[in-house]
Amino acid sequence: MVLAYIDEPPFGWEDATGQPVGADVELATVILRSLGVADITYRKTTFADLLPGVVRGDWDVNVPMFVSPGRALQVAFSAPVWALGDGYRPAISVLRGSGA
């Protein structure tokens, strides 16, 4: 399973050894592991390429992002993984119909 993340501390960055870390990276990793995914490859990207990368098949899932109607037309989202007081709820996205 390939997980895309972005360089946006405290949500995601690389530690001194080059290992992806951060709140969203760790959360997505825990969720994938709980679903039985043993092999996770991490791919750093830009925010602008998160959804296009899923659609192209460059990666299977990406770190949580806010759900919007337009984004939901492109990919399927998990249940929200956290929420803000203003009602925004980020979720993990995957390609629709991919089975991921």
Side-chain angles (χ1 to χ4, degrees):
M1 177 82 53
V2 179
L3 168 64
Y5 70 97
I6 58 175
D7 185 21
E8 186 182 31
F11 305 106
W13 75 94
E14 294 173 353
D15 67 13
T17 68
Q19 179 68 28
V21 295
D24 284 353
V25 171
E26 292 173 26
L27 178 61
T29 299
V30 167
I31 291 168
L32 291 172
R33 296 269 189 245
S34 74
L35 295 172
V37 177
D39 185 27
I40 302 172
T41 302
Y42 300 89
R43 179 136 347 128
K44 185 176 173 182
T45 189
T46 63
F47 181 82
D49 208 30
L50 278 173
L51 289 186
V54 170
V55 172
R56 284 192 308 266
D58 296 342
W59 42 81
D60 303 297
V61 298
N62 54 250
V63 293
M65 67 184 324
F66 293 116
V67 179
S68 73
R71 290 175 180 165
L73 291 174
Q74 299 177 61
V75 297
F77 283 95
S78 70
V81 295
W82 50 271
L84 300 176
D86 59 8
Y88 285 106
R89 294 187 171 110
I92 295 173
S93 59
V94 299
L95 183 59
R96 287 193 175 283
S98 69

